[in-house]
């Protein structure tokens, strides 16, 4: 049975607050901050890469599912590209600050 | 329901379609098989698909959906059933599996039917890969915002 999605009108603030309420990370502890989040993001990126690697290994050994490998690589690829974009943004911001005249 | 949900769903669809191809190939390969482990001629096999919650589980690890149908659902092959229709009975007294009157029970496989199944499964696979492709393009577009 095909299911349909119901759309409804919301205020622009609700659009972002709705998400924030459901998945806001708890208050940041001291010593934890952007750096910790970055480390976590990189480690999950590494996890995706390792998974893709493992799947490719399984295929090379004659087991595994071809499309699952492809999907694992796809995930790793998207995550990697996101990480690269975030890194570029950070470097841009850093350069912007360094260019400030004091 | 993160970004990869659609990827998992398409993955489960790919798995299901591949099982369908496996079964169609099995049916085609055994179109003339008169001996099986269970005795008697080969019976053609059909997959039964079932919707499962798209909780990232692809393949056998997925659990059946419990929350109804108002969420994105993946698919899995629930069971594989043997078609009980009796096959053709041909007269061939020289055949080692012929009965007292010289008749042999042949499998109930119709090669034309199986090839159509194969075609349908292949198109289904293609549809799922197209969904993956679309998701990929959407991801690329989303990442372009960050540029």
């Amino acid at each position: 049975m095909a299911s349909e999605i119901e759309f409804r009108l919301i205020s622009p603030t609700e659009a972002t607050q709705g998400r924030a309420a459901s998945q806001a990370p708890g208050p940041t502890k001291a010593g934890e901050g952007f750096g910790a989040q970055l480390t976590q993001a990189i480690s999950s990126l590494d996890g995706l890469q390792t998974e893709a690697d493992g799947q490719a290994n399984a295929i090379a050994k004659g087991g595994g599912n071809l499309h699952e490998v492809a999907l694992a690589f796809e995930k790793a690829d998207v995550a990697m590209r996101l990480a690269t974009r975030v890194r570029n943004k950070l470097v841009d911001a850093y350069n912007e600050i360094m260019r400030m005249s004091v | 329901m993160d970004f990869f949900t659609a990827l998992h769903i398409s993955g489960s669809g790919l798995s299901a379609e591949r099982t369908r191809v496996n079964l169609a190939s099995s049916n085609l390969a055994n179109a003339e098989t008169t001996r099986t482990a269970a005795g008697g001629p080969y019976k053609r096999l059909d997959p039964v698909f079932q919707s499962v919650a798209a909780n990232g589980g692809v393949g056998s690890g997925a659990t059946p959906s419990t929350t109804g149908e108002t969420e994105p659902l993946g698919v899995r092959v629930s069971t594989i059933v043997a078609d009980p229709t009796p096959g053709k009975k041909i007269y061939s007294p020289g055949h080692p599996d012929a009965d007292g009157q010289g008749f042999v029970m042949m499998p109930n496989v119709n090669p034309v039917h199986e090839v159509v199944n194969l075609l349908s499964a292949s198109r289904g696979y293609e549809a799922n890969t197209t969904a993956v492709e679309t998701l990929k393009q959407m991801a690329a577009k989303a990442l372009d915002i960050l540029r």
Side-chain angles (χ1 to χ4, degrees):
Chain A
M1 200 176 94
S3 43
E4 303 270 336
I5 306 168
E6 225 179 77
F7 290 98
R8 74 187 173 85
L9 214 65
I10 54 170
S11 68
T13 46
E14 197 188 338
T16 48
Q17 280 168 357
R19 274 190 83 82
S22 62
Q23 43 180 253
T28 330
K29 294 180 202 101
E32 253 185 55
F34 183 69
Q37 288 215 0
L38 198 66
T39 314
Q40 200 200 333
I42 288 176
S43 84
S44 70
L45 173 69
D46 188 48
L48 285 174
Q49 304 274 0
T50 315
E51 191 197 324
D53 249 11
Q55 296 249 21
N57 249 325
I59 277 288
K61 286 175 187 159
N65 280 330
L66 210 52
H67 66 264
E68 279 172 26
V69 183
L71 292 183
F73 268 97
E74 192 47 46
K75 270 199 259 180
D77 178 50
V78 169
M80 185 67 207
R81 270 192 286 169
L82 175 64
T84 319
R85 290 283 155 81
V86 170
R87 177 242 174 227
N88 288 348
K89 275 276 166 204
L90 286 177
V91 172
D92 282 353
Y94 173 77
N95 284 339
E96 199 67 41
I97 289 168
M98 290 316 273
R99 272 201 296 272
M100 275 180 196
S101 49
V102 276
Chain B
M1 212 206 309
D2 69 348
F3 186 79
F4 292 130
T5 305
L7 214 57
H8 288 139
I9 292 174
S10 296
S12 71
L14 291 172
S15 287
E17 295 298 346
R18 210 206 38 225
T19 309
R20 232 170 116 194
V21 171
N22 284 349
L23 293 179
S25 315
S26 157
N27 292 344
L28 274 174
N30 287 293
E32 304 285 331
T33 304
T34 52
R35 284 180 198 178
T36 53
Y42 176 84
K43 297 265 181 228
R44 62 179 297 273
L45 301 173
D46 257 332
V48 178
F49 287 0
Q50 182 188 21
S51 61
V52 288
N55 51 2
V58 173
S60 51
T63 50
S65 163
T66 49
T67 52
E69 299 197 339
T70 53
E71 54 166 353
L73 294 171
V75 65
R76 73 166 185 157
V77 175
S78 160
T79 47
I80 292 169
V81 292
D83 188 344
T85 344
K88 261 191 304 189
K89 199 174 177 183
I90 60 163
Y91 183 68
S92 173
H95 197 286
D97 290 327
D99 62 9
Q101 282 113 40
F103 283 103
V104 184
M105 289 301 293
M106 295 305 282
N108 54 355
V109 177
N110 178 359
V112 178
H113 188 156
E114 298 309 328
V115 170
V116 171
N117 261 346
L118 210 56
L119 201 76
S120 155
S122 148
R123 291 297 179 206
Y125 200 87
E126 215 173 296
N128 280 296
T129 52
T130 305
V132 173
E133 197 65 40
T134 308
L135 192 76
K136 224 166 113 172
Q137 283 166 13
M138 283 169 70
K141 292 274 176 227
L143 286 174
D144 276 351
I145 299 173
L146 256 178
R147 189 143 55 185

